[in-house]
Amino acid sequence: MLDHLQQRFDHPNVRFYQRDQLIMIELQNDYGQATLTTHGATLLSYIPAGGQDLLWVSDTAIYDGTKPVRGGVPVCWPWFGAYDASKMGAHPTDAAKKAHGFARYELWDVESVESVGDATRLVLSLVSNARIQQAWPYDFKLSLVVTLGKQLSIELIGENRSDQAWFVTEALHSYFKVAHAPGLVIEGLEGVTFYDKNQDFAPFTQQDTLSLQPPMDCVYVDHHAAVVIKDQGRDIVIDKTNSASTIVWNPGAEGVKAFADMPDDQYQYMVCVESGNALQNGYELAPGQRHVMSMVLSCRC
């Protein structure tokens, strides 16, 4: 498989290798380095040239394909959460179905690798199969386009190839590596309404600049602007397009104990700031329609 991929997608800035049971894809050029796996099309690392990794991956993450790798940027699609649709307008998925949708559990195909100017672009794609149809009976194509240039761009493209409309909630579930999560300042959410999962989805308004106090699990709605994580010595900037929700999550000291693939102390060194369309920001995709949501990561050091 590795030889086949390397021969078919031969490119000086791309390397395929294996870690445990997973196929890994490394992009490297003058702007930095990015690493993904075909399992879930998960971005696991983004290191700007001369900088440190922006993304967090658990030291005890599992790479055998039995579950998503804990960390990086998993793809949540076509549902984000098993919320009460009648109250929140979210996807009325059965809570017994795979958490955050099936996309992050599936093996994606490498569709193309190319240079775009001085940037390097990788396209991964996923279409329906017999296993997916048990949870999602609609024909679709989902693509993830990752472009490593001056910034790192991620586009999630969903296409309805069925003969009926369906409802989507989604997110790029980004885990960021930070020096110290408690008290971390996150700018760009001021004045935005959010729903707090830890308080039965009660609505609140973010009055001041957010200072992270774990545990936190909040969905900020009708939010289209950039967010800045004020890490020690650097600003992690998250720009987005066609994303109306921003999700902020950290499990805290007690919540982290529920994750076998995450050491108990690691909540202190990560925060999820996710670009998505969740709760009432979900959307209907008509037959033949495509939806493109993008996130652009950069660092000001």
Side-chain angles (χ1 to χ4, degrees):
M1 174 63 77
L2 286 175
D3 289 343
H4 171 74
L5 287 171
Q6 196 67 63
Q7 291 173 10
R8 183 181 175 191
F9 300 104
D10 185 34
H11 190 285
N13 296 335
V14 179
R15 179 172 74 96
F16 296 89
Y17 65 97
Q18 189 158 343
R19 179 168 181 178
D20 196 350
Q21 300 301 308
L22 302 189
I23 299 296
M24 312 294 283
I25 309 168
E26 180 183 275
L27 312 180
Q28 188 164 9
N29 58 30
D30 291 342
Y31 294 114
Q33 178 179 307
T35 304
L36 299 94
T37 175
T38 57
H39 182 66
T42 303
L43 175 71
L44 296 175
S45 174
Y46 169 44
I47 306 174
Q52 301 296 315
D53 210 325
L54 270 62
L55 301 179
W56 175 90
V57 174
S58 174
D59 292 339
T60 54
I62 295 171
Y63 294 83
D64 64 4
T66 60
K67 62 185 300 183
V69 177
R70 173 68 62 186
V73 185
V75 175
C76 303
W77 193 93
W79 58 82
F80 177 70
Y83 306 125
D84 183 346
S86 64
K87 292 180 181 178
M88 307 304 300
H91 186 279
T93 180
D94 182 344
K97 293 180 180 177
K98 291 184 182 297
H100 292 318
F102 52 77
R104 66 192 185 122
Y105 292 85
E106 293 292 326
L107 286 177
W108 293 49
D109 292 323
V110 181
E111 188 168 301
S112 65
V113 175
E114 62 180 338
S115 294
V116 181
D118 54 2
T120 308
R121 177 169 295 166
L122 168 72
V123 180
L124 300 172
S125 62
L126 178 68
V127 295
S128 189
N129 57 43
R131 182 175 51 255
I132 291 173
Q133 287 174 353
Q134 295 178 14
W136 187 255
Y138 310 110
D139 193 17
F140 71 91
K141 181 179 180 182
L142 188 62
S143 302
L144 190 79
V145 182
V146 177
T147 306
L148 176 61
K150 293 180 180 179
Q151 303 167 315
L152 185 80
S153 169
I154 307 173
E155 296 172 282
L156 183 63
I157 307 170
E159 179 183 351
N160 185 348
R161 293 183 167 183
S162 74
D163 59 0
Q164 57 186 298
W166 24 266
F167 192 78
V168 174
T169 57
E170 62 188 347
L172 294 168
H173 196 314
S174 311
Y175 290 75
F176 292 98
K177 180 185 292 186
V178 296
H180 190 64
L184 182 74
V185 172
I186 302 175
E187 297 179 341
L189 298 168
E190 299 83 4
V192 180
T193 297
F194 66 91
Y195 294 87
D196 191 337
K197 184 178 179 181
N198 293 331
Q199 299 191 56
D200 297 321
F201 286 106
F204 300 91
T205 300
Q206 184 67 46
Q207 298 294 339
D208 302 309
T209 299
L210 174 62
S211 175
L212 182 68
Q213 303 300 327
M216 184 174 180
D217 194 350
C218 296
V219 180
Y220 290 79
V221 296
D222 302 327
H223 177 255
H224 304 268
V227 174
V228 180
I229 300 171
K230 306 290 289 186
D231 192 23
Q232 292 181 13
R234 64 178 184 177
D235 292 349
I236 299 173
V237 183
I238 308 159
D239 285 292
K240 57 183 192 163
T241 304
N242 289 335
S243 161
S245 307
T246 297
I247 301 97
V248 179
W249 177 73
N250 180 295
E254 292 302 314
V256 71
K257 296 176 182 178
F259 302 102
D261 56 354
M262 185 173 178
D264 287 352
D265 67 336
Q266 287 298 293
Y267 79 93
Q268 300 176 79
Y269 309 112
M270 55 71 63
V271 63
C272 286
V273 180
E274 311 165 36
S275 301
N277 290 293
L279 302 182
Q280 60 261 46
N281 295 140
Y283 57 89
E284 186 176 87
L285 203 60
Q289 277 192 330
R290 298 166 75 248
H291 183 274
V292 182
M293 180 179 72
S294 67
M295 177 176 73
V296 177
L297 304 180
S298 60
C299 183
R300 301 194 298 249
C301 301

